[in-house]
C-alpha cells in the first residue's frame, strides 16, 4: 500500500492532538453569583523576577482577617494560567510593628501543586499577636 | 637581555597533574552545607526532615487558627506531650514534630510545655522535676491533683503502594489537643504528606 503524504500528515496531526489533549486538564468551578462573605482586601506591592512563575501562580487577590484572639490571617488567591498542572513553592514571612522579621517555625517553604486554570488559596496565620505584616515568597518548583 | 631557560619536563607534568586534580576535585561532588529546604533530598520511602517541619508547621497553624484554642482564657496554659504513636515501618523520634509545635505554641504565648510531667510519670527534665518537688516539699506547697491544663497526643501512620516501578508513600499525621478538666479533645487535625517517584531526587 502506498502511503500518501496527506495521510501521513493527517496521522501526525491526529497523534499530536491526542498527545496535547492528554496533557491538558483544567479546572471548572461554580460558586454563588453574589457571595455573602465580605472580604477584607489587602493592597500589595509585588516584585516579579520570574515571568514564568507569574503564569503558574498569578496572584489574584489577597485578603486579611484575624483569629478570635487577634492573630493575623492572610489568604492569597493564586491562579495557574496554564492548561497543565504546575508546581511551585511558597513561604510566608512575618514582621512586627517595627518591620523586624519574626523567627518562627511557621516560616518554611511548602510545595504546592496547582492544576491547569485552577484557583487555589494559600493561607498563613501570624505566629503571635505581634505579627502585623507579612511577605509571601513564591518560587517555581523543580 | 634574552633568557635562555628550558623548564624541566618533570616540572611541567607535575604542574599539569596538580592542576587537573584540583579542577576535578573542585567540580566533582564535594559536600556543601544546604541552607535552602528546596534543595534537600526528597525520599520516596521515608519521612524527610522537611516533611517533619512541614507537618509541624501545618499542625501549628491549625492550632493557632482554631476557635476553641482562641477561647482559652488562661494564658499561658500548661501543655504536656502525651503519646504520639508512630505506626510506620521506620524508626522515628516523634520529637521531630512535637518539638517544633511546642516552639510555635510557646512563641505564640498561648501555651507553656511542662518538662516535669510526662507519660508514665517520666519527666523530660529530671533535674527540673526534682528541683520542683524539693521546692514544694520545703515550702509546704499543697500539690495540686493535676498541674497541666492540656495534653497533645496522636499517631503517625504510613500507607505505601506501588504501580510498576513507581513507588508512593503517604504519611498521615493525626494529633489531638485534650482539655484535661473534661477529658475532651478541643482540637483535632490530620495532615497527609504523599511522595511519589521511581527513585529519590534532589529538590521539590
Amino acid at each position: 500500500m502506498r502511503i500518501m503524504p496527506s495521510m501521513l500528515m493527517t496521522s501526525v496531526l491526529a497523534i499530536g492532538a491526542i498527545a496535547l489533549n492528554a496533557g491538558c486538564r483544567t479546572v471548572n468551578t461554580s460558586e454563588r453569583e453574589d457571595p455573602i462573605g465580605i472580604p477584607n482586601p489587602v493592597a500589595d506591592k509585588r516584585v516579579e523576577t520570574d515571568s514564568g512563575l507569574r503564569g503558574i501562580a498569578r496572584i489574584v487577590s489577597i485578603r486579611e482577617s484575624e483569629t478570635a484572639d487577634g492573630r493575623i490571617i492572610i489568604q492569597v488567591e493564586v491562579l495557574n494560567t496554564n492548561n497543565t498542572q504546575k508546581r511551585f513553592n511558597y513561604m510566608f514571612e512575618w514582621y512586627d510593628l517595627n518591620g523586624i522579621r519574626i523567627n518562627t517555625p511557621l516560616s518554611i517553604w511548602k510545595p504546592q501543586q496547582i492544576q491547569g486554570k485552577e484557583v487555589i488559596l494559600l493561607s498563613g496565620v501570624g505566629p503571635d499577636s505581634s505579627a502585623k505584616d507579612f511577605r509571601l515568597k513564591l518560587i517555581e518548583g523543580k | 637581555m634574552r633568557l635562555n631557560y628550558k623548564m624541566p619536563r618533570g616540572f611541567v607534568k607535575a604542574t599539569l597533574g596538580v592542576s587537573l586534580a584540583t579542577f576535578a576535585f573542585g567540580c566533582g561532588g564535594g559536600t556543601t552545607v544546604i541552607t535552602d529546604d528546596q534543595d534537600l533530598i526528597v525520599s520516596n520511602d521515608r519521612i524527610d526532615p522537611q516533611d517533619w517541619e512541614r507537618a509541624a508547621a501545618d499542625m501549628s497553624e491549625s492550632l493557632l487558627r482554631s476557635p476553641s484554642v482562641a477561647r482559652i482564657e488562661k494564658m499561658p496554659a500548661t501543655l504536656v506531650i502525651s503519646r504520639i504513636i508512630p505506626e510506620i515501618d521506620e524508626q522515628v523520634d516523634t520529637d521531630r514534630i512535637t518539638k517544633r509545635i511546642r516552639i510555635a505554641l510557646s512563641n505564640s504565648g498561648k501555651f507553656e510545655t511542662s518538662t516535669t510531667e510526662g507519660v508514665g510519670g517520666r519527666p523530660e527534665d529530671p533535674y527540673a522535676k526534682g528541683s520542683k518537688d524539693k521546692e514544694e516539699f520545703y515550702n509546704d506547697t499543697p500539690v495540686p491533683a493535676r498541674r497541666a491544663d492540656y495534653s497533645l497526643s496522636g499517631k503517625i501512620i504510613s500507607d505505601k503502594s506501588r504501580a510498576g516501578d513507581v513507588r508512593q508513600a503517604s504519611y498521615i499525621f493525626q494529633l489531638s489537643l485534650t482539655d484535661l478538666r473534661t477529658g475532651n479533645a478541643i482540637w483535632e487535625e490530620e495532615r497527609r504528606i504523599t511522595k511519589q517517584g521511581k527513585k529519590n531526587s534532589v529538590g521539590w
Side-chain angles (χ1 to χ4, degrees):
Chain A
M1 185 182 91
R2 199 172 150 212
I3 298 174
M4 304 288 287
S6 57
M7 286 167 60
L8 188 63
M9 181 60 75
T10 308
S11 304
V12 168
L13 282 170
I15 291 167
I18 291 167
L20 197 66
N21 199 43
C24 289
R25 283 170 57 205
T26 56
V27 174
N28 294 347
T29 60
S30 175
E31 59 189 87
R32 199 192 294 271
E33 187 177 20
D34 295 314
I36 291 173
I38 303 172
N40 184 17
V42 173
D44 66 300
K45 176 176 70 180
R46 297 177 198 181
V47 176
E48 293 177 336
T49 60
D50 184 342
S51 55
L53 179 61
R54 193 169 60 231
I56 292 170
R58 176 172 296 176
I59 297 176
V60 175
S61 66
I62 302 178
R63 297 170 189 172
E64 180 180 354
S65 179
E66 65 175 35
T67 63
D69 56 353
R71 229 171 290 276
I72 185 175
I73 300 174
I74 296 294
Q75 194 169 76
V76 181
E77 200 174 347
V78 297
L79 163 70
N80 176 11
T81 61
N82 299 282
N83 289 330
T84 52
Q85 183 198 93
K86 296 292 181 187
R87 295 173 187 274
F88 65 93
N89 304 324
Y90 72 97
M91 172 168 69
F92 279 97
E93 290 178 342
W94 302 98
Y95 299 85
D96 63 17
L97 265 178
N98 297 317
I100 303 296
R101 185 181 164 185
I102 299 170
N103 191 18
T104 168
L106 303 184
S107 291
I108 58 166
W109 284 104
K110 294 182 183 181
Q112 182 67 55
Q113 282 177 270
I114 186 168
Q115 301 296 333
K117 303 293 187 190
E118 184 180 17
V119 172
I120 62 171
L121 299 171
L122 309 177
S123 289
V125 59
D128 57 49
S129 53
S130 73
K132 299 299 178 193
D133 281 320
F134 69 96
R135 175 177 289 157
L136 172 65
K137 289 182 172 177
L138 300 161
I139 191 166
E140 196 167 344
K142 288 185 181 175
Chain B
M1 185 178 79
R2 191 179 161 185
L3 282 172
N4 199 6
Y5 175 71
K6 197 175 176 184
M7 213 175 274
R9 203 176 277 177
F11 179 77
V12 170
K13 283 185 183 173
T15 308
L16 271 172
V18 169
S19 305
L20 278 169
T22 307
F23 181 77
F25 182 75
C27 297
T31 301
T32 54
V33 175
I34 301 298
T35 58
D36 192 328
D37 286 352
Q38 296 173 92
D39 295 329
L40 295 176
I41 290 174
V42 180
S43 311
N44 64 2
D45 58 355
R46 61 185 291 267
I47 305 177
D48 293 314
Q50 61 271 32
D51 299 329
W52 290 108
E53 291 173 13
R54 187 171 137 213
D58 288 349
M59 291 296 192
S60 301
E61 283 199 9
S62 173
L63 258 169
L64 293 174
R65 290 179 71 157
S66 164
S68 306
V69 172
R71 279 196 294 271
I72 294 174
E73 289 178 356
K74 181 185 174 186
M75 266 186 45
T78 303
L79 176 72
V80 292
I81 306 299
S82 185
R83 292 190 199 282
I84 312 285
I85 303 169
E87 289 187 359
I88 60 180
D89 55 0
E90 59 180 280
Q91 285 272 76
V92 295
D93 184 348
T94 54
D95 277 351
R96 300 191 73 169
I97 185 171
T98 56
K99 191 63 168 184
R100 290 187 72 90
I101 294 175
R102 285 168 56 173
I103 293 169
L105 296 184
S106 173
N107 290 349
S108 74
K110 296 279 307 180
F111 292 94
E112 284 179 343
T113 305
S114 172
T115 58
T116 56
E117 287 185 64
V119 175
R122 285 178 298 168
E124 179 182 318
D125 187 344
Y127 183 84
K129 168 84 169 125
S131 183
K132 191 167 184 285
D133 290 347
K134 208 181 290 184
E135 186 79 17
E136 287 168 352
F137 177 77
Y138 285 113
N139 291 333
D140 283 328
T141 310
V143 178
R146 187 193 71 248
R147 295 189 177 95
D149 303 302
Y150 298 91
S151 71
L152 190 69
S153 62
K155 196 188 280 192
I156 304 170
I157 305 164
S158 74
D159 194 317
K160 295 187 177 179
S161 53
R162 193 171 186 144
D165 54 357
V166 176
R167 290 183 288 176
Q168 177 174 290
S170 291
Y171 298 96
I172 300 122
F173 298 83
Q174 299 175 335
L175 289 180
S176 303
L177 184 72
T178 303
D179 184 339
L180 295 180
R181 290 172 306 159
T182 62
N184 296 334
I186 65 166
W187 168 85
E188 296 195 272
E189 187 62 83
E190 178 180 283
R191 280 284 189 268
R192 174 173 55 85
I193 293 176
T194 298
K195 295 182 295 178
Q196 188 187 87
K198 293 180 184 177
K199 56 181 181 177
N200 296 349
S201 62
V202 177
W204 295 325

